Amino acid sequence: MIGKINRLKKEKNAVILAHNYQRPEIYEVADFLGDSLELAKKAVNTDAKIIVFCGVDFMAESAKILNPEKMVLHPEELSVCPMAAMVTVECVLEAKQKYPKSVIVSYINTTADVKAVSDICCTSANAVKVVNSLKEDEVIFTPDRNLGTYVQTKSKKKIILLDGHCYVHDNISVEDVKKAKELHPDAEVMVHPECRMEVIKEADAVCSTSQMIKYSKESSASEFISVTECGMAIMLKREIPNKKFWAVGGTCLQMKNITLEKVYDCLFNETGKVELDQNIMDNAKKALDAMLKVV
Ligand code: 13P
Ligand code: SF4
């Protein structure tokens, strides 16, 4: 199946972008693997005719928004990020009415219509930088309450949080992290900022998924505990085989919904096309472009 997909990609001038949380066999067909920020940047720069996006819906949508003339295929329509579905345009506009001087920062884990009413997007890799780059003192931050709470510890701005969370990261308990530290006292702890603040406090480094790769490559430590979706430890081991990685965190079922068979079928039949309203795409692009100007 890996060979078949790689041949089909060449025939169709397609590129496969895949998130770090994908199944390990998907890594083998990906032209580029990364975190949300890297994948958004890669989507802007590809010359391929077709982008097959192995990740959750908002990632494939962002690729389409940034590259409206390209065909973007998403292999599984049920691969939908539940956090992105937790905030609606109505919630955001209601908050804006309440805080008219504020600027709306939406995490890239949002639907296209929420991005379209936002001033700027951010990812886990650049949220602090994006918020601190703004001239306004008041920020509506949506939908990840945990990420917003973390950003607040790094910013003097007033951050108004709209409610939302990632079920995978929010379920990670501080007890689990402390237990892993006891078992592996020499390991450094890398925590994704979608975790709760009490978990983040246990971190040696707060990292997006790809920042975990960079951090563990550059650190002098030889063991690491990665506190995020458990598949990340497989990616870390693949990238840095001479170091040890321990995983604390559950599985993102939506990310794991994509299989090699679904990737092959969608590219062969050109199904799963991401199609969005032009007006929404134009406005959402402004928020994504604003972010890409900052980082
Ligand atoms: P990253 O941008 O850090 O890869 O995070 C994406 C995500 O969905 C984490 O749950
Ligand atoms: Fe969404 Fe959480 Fe899955 Fe990331 S890990 S895609 S935030 S549900």
Side-chain angles (χ1 to χ4, degrees):
M1 193 46 89
I2 290 169
K4 275 172 76 175
I5 294 171
N6 285 333
R7 280 191 294 279
L8 191 60
K9 264 191 333 192
K10 277 201 190 123
E11 272 166 46
K12 294 208 172 204
N13 187 15
V15 73
I16 298 185
L17 305 185
H19 186 263
N20 291 321
Y21 293 162
Q22 287 293 291
R23 292 167 180 266
E25 60 271 28
I26 299 288
Y27 299 163
E28 304 307 319
V29 294
D31 296 282
F32 186 79
L33 286 151
D35 65 10
S36 311
L37 180 62
E38 292 171 326
L39 291 167
K41 286 184 177 166
K42 210 71 196 172
V44 181
N45 293 325
T46 179
D47 314 318
K49 199 174 127 232
I50 303 175
I51 299 174
V52 180
F53 206 106
C54 297
V56 284
D57 58 338
F58 73 81
M59 297 179 174
E61 284 183 2
S62 299
K64 178 70 185 173
I65 293 163
L66 290 166
N67 238 328
E69 75 293 348
K70 292 242 155 87
M71 187 192 291
V72 178
L73 306 177
H74 188 217
E76 169 55 72
E77 63 177 0
L78 296 176
S79 188
V80 170
C81 170
M83 164 155 58
M86 283 178 192
V87 70
T88 60
V89 171
E90 290 70 36
C91 302
V92 175
L93 294 181
E94 210 175 283
K96 179 75 185 177
Q97 242 180 6
K98 218 163 145 190
Y99 304 97
K101 287 196 201 120
S102 63
V103 60
I104 302 170
V105 180
S106 70
Y107 192 26
I108 197 162
N109 301 41
T110 41
T111 55
D113 56 350
V114 167
K115 287 186 181 75
V117 294
S118 303
D119 296 293
I120 188 165
C121 291
C122 71
T123 76
S124 62
N126 64 19
V128 172
K129 216 170 173 179
V130 164
V131 167
N132 286 334
S133 75
L134 302 166
K135 56 179 190 314
E136 293 82 354
D137 291 327
E138 218 172 54
V139 170
I140 296 172
F141 192 95
T142 185
D144 189 7
R145 172 173 281 278
N146 290 342
L147 178 62
T149 305
Y150 169 66
V151 174
Q152 185 66 90
T153 67
K154 304 275 171 200
S155 178
K156 292 197 169 71
K157 298 189 188 291
K158 179 182 172 189
I159 300 185
I160 299 135
L161 299 168
L162 299 193
D163 225 2
H165 65 272
C166 160
Y167 74 99
V168 179
H169 291 86
D170 201 58
N171 271 335
I172 298 174
S173 73
V174 71
E175 289 75 25
D176 287 345
V177 179
K178 283 187 172 157
K179 204 161 129 195
K181 278 174 127 174
E182 262 171 46
L183 288 169
H184 311 291
D186 296 332
E188 286 196 327
V189 180
M190 304 180 292
V191 176
H192 195 279
E194 285 177 16
C195 291
R196 289 166 180 248
M197 207 51 219
E198 69 258 29
V199 171
I200 292 180
K201 281 189 183 147
E202 296 296 315
D204 293 300
V206 180
C207 305
S208 77
T209 56
S210 288
Q211 286 171 343
M212 287 188 184
I213 301 173
K214 188 169 185 287
Y215 182 84
S216 47
K217 257 186 199 160
E218 288 172 2
S219 163
S220 57
S222 56
E223 271 185 65
F224 301 85
I225 298 166
S226 88
V227 184
T228 187
E229 207 268 350
C230 62
M232 192 58 210
I234 299 174
M235 167 56 84
L236 287 160
K237 187 68 191 168
R238 181 183 190 259
E239 289 294 309
I240 315 149
N242 60 330
K243 296 195 177 184
K244 267 192 189 154
F245 296 94
W246 309 101
V248 176
T251 301
C252 176
L253 300 174
Q254 291 72 19
M255 281 279 186
K256 266 45 177 194
N257 245 333
I258 296 177
T259 60
L260 286 176
E261 288 73 15
K262 290 178 191 174
V263 172
Y264 181 80
D265 287 351
C266 108
L267 183 54
F268 185 81
N269 299 311
E270 299 186 6
T271 48
K273 280 191 193 119
V274 177
E275 277 161 350
L276 296 162
D277 175 89
Q278 190 60 52
N279 200 27
I280 287 182
M281 282 213 283
D282 292 345
N283 287 323
K285 189 167 186 301
K286 287 182 199 155
L288 283 169
D289 283 342
M291 170 185 84
L292 293 174
K293 258 191 219 147
V294 177
V295 280

